[in-house]
Amino acid sequence: MQDASTNLPAAGISPPPGPQPGLTLVATPIGNLDDISPRALAALAGADAVLCEDTRVTSKLLARHGISITLWPLHDHNEEAQLPGLLARLRDGAALVLVSDAGTPLMSDPGFRLVRAAIAAGVPVHGIPGANAAVLALILSGLPPHPFMFVGFLPAKAGARDAELARFKAMEQAGLSATLVFYEAPHRAAETLAALAASLGETRPAALARELTKRFEEVRRGSLAVLAQGALDDPPRGEVVLLVGPAPNEAMGQASLDDALAVAMAAMSLRDAAASVALAHGLPRKSVYARALELAAEKKRPD
Ligand code: SAM
C-alpha cells in the first residue's frame, strides 16, 4: 500500500521499529556518525544486549545518540567460544543486536559464525542495512557496478597475495568479467596496486576510494599503473578501498562461443547456459540464446 501524496509506503506497513526477538544485524557508520538510520537506533536502544567488536568504539556511537545499553564484546578471537551462551539467550527469546566497529557486520568483520549458528538453530535473524565501504566506493568509482566481486582483504604476505591474484587472473581467463573490490590498509595500498597491475594488467581501469564519508574523502581514478605510481608519490592516508574494472572483453570467435556453450549446455538448461555464457563474456543474451538453439538443433539432426 502506498501513500498517494508521497508515493512512499504507507507508514503502517513498515516493520515495528523496536526490538525484535532474535539476532539483528545492524549496520553502523563508516566515518560520519550521523550515517545511521532511525530504525537502527531503535533496535540498538531496545536490545537486551549489543554484541560489538570494541566496546569503546560502539560506546562512542551510542553516546552520540543518547543510548545506554549493555555491550558484550564479540570478535574473531572469542566468537566460537561465545556461541553456546549466545544461542541459549537467543532461544530464550532475547533480542540481541550485532554491530561491528564500522559499516555492515560480517563484511570483512566478525559475525558469520554466529549468523550461521543462529540460522541452524532456527533463531530469527533480522538485518537493518546501512553504510558499507565497498558499495559506496563502487558507486563512486565510475567503474561498472555489476557484476562485482567483493574480495575484502588480500593476504598480507606477498607470496599468498600473488597466488590469490593468479587465481583471479585464471578466473578472468575462464570468462569472469566483474569489477573487483578490495579492502586494504593504507600503508600497503601502493604495493598492492603494483601487484594488481603486475597480475591483472597495467592499463586496467581502477579506482582508490579513501576516507569515505569523512572530511578528507577522495576518489582517485585511473589505470592500475597510474594509481600505483600516484600511491607512491602521494601516499593515501586513512582508510582505503581499491577497485579494479572488469577484464577487457576479448572478441570471442564463433568457435570459442560454441565451445563455451557446449560446456555450459552439458551442465544446465539451454536458457541458463546461454544466460551464463552471455554474462561471462559480456555478449548480448539474445544472440547467444539464438546460437544455443542452433547448436541444440544441430545436435538433434541425424548426420
Ligand atoms: N564492515 C565494514 C564495511 O561494511 O565496510 C568494513 C570493515 S573492514 C575491517 C575495514 C576496511 O574497510 C578498511 O580497511 C577499508 O578498506 C574499508 N573502509 C572502512 N571504512 C572506510 C572508509 N570510511 N573509507 C574507505 N574505506 C573504508
Side-chain angles (χ1 to χ4, degrees):
M1 196 170 63
Q2 296 229 308
D3 177 329
S5 61
T6 60
N7 272 347
L8 293 171
I13 61 166
S14 43
Q20 301 191 67
L23 177 65
T24 303
L25 314 174
V26 172
T28 57
I30 55 170
N32 184 323
L33 291 187
D34 289 334
D35 289 340
I36 185 158
S37 72
R39 201 157 81 85
L41 293 173
L44 286 160
D48 292 310
V50 172
L51 312 171
C52 61
E53 285 183 270
D54 183 336
T55 52
R56 288 163 304 181
V57 173
T58 302
S59 309
K60 198 171 146 204
L61 172 71
L62 295 181
R64 159 102 179 197
H65 295 282
I67 297 171
S68 163
I69 198 90
T70 309
L71 298 179
W72 291 341
L74 187 88
H75 39 71
D76 281 336
H77 305 294
N78 73 352
E79 188 174 346
E80 199 70 49
Q82 296 290 323
L83 286 184
L86 292 174
L87 288 176
R89 296 288 303 246
L90 288 165
R91 277 201 210 91
D92 286 347
L96 300 185
V97 164
L98 171 70
V99 297
S100 55
D101 281 353
T104 299
L106 277 74
M107 299 300 290
S108 292
D109 270 334
F112 172 61
R113 284 172 285 190
L114 175 59
V115 169
R116 191 174 48 182
I119 292 168
V123 166
V125 180
H126 317 280
I128 301 186
N132 171 244
V135 169
L136 185 54
L138 183 65
I139 62 173
L140 293 176
S141 68
L143 298 168
H146 41 74
F148 78 92
M149 180 184 272
F150 172 66
V151 181
F153 291 97
L154 285 165
K157 292 204 172 123
R161 178 200 62 207
D162 292 346
E164 181 116 343
L165 290 178
R167 273 196 292 279
F168 287 121
K169 181 74 191 166
M171 285 192 260
E172 291 186 338
Q173 281 163 344
L176 173 73
S177 177
T179 296
L180 307 175
V181 186
F182 303 90
Y183 285 161
E184 190 50 289
H187 64 275
R188 274 203 289 267
E191 190 189 327
T192 301
L193 283 166
L196 287 165
S199 52
L200 302 180
E202 300 202 330
T203 55
R204 283 280 282 273
L208 179 157
R210 83 174 180 98
E211 291 292 88
L212 295 173
T213 76
K214 303 187 207 176
R215 184 160 168 219
F216 296 108
E217 177 175 295
E218 177 192 15
V219 183
R220 302 181 186 178
R221 304 174 184 90
S223 69
L224 275 172
V226 165
L227 289 183
Q229 187 58 48
L232 282 177
D233 298 342
D234 176 15
R237 285 166 210 247
E239 304 200 85
V240 301
V241 179
L242 305 178
L243 306 99
V244 183
N249 279 323
E250 311 288 338
M252 203 186 194
Q254 185 76 48
S256 350
L257 173 61
D258 289 357
D259 288 348
L261 278 171
V263 172
M265 283 160 67
M268 52 188 104
S269 72
L270 187 144
R271 185 175 294 274
D272 289 348
S276 82
V277 169
L279 183 67
H281 296 280
L283 295 168
R285 190 188 277 237
K286 248 187 173 173
S287 60
V288 177
Y289 184 63
R291 182 62 191 153
L293 284 172
E294 282 172 13
L295 290 177
E298 274 171 26
K299 213 174 160 193
K300 274 195 197 145
R301 208 175 298 138
D303 290 329

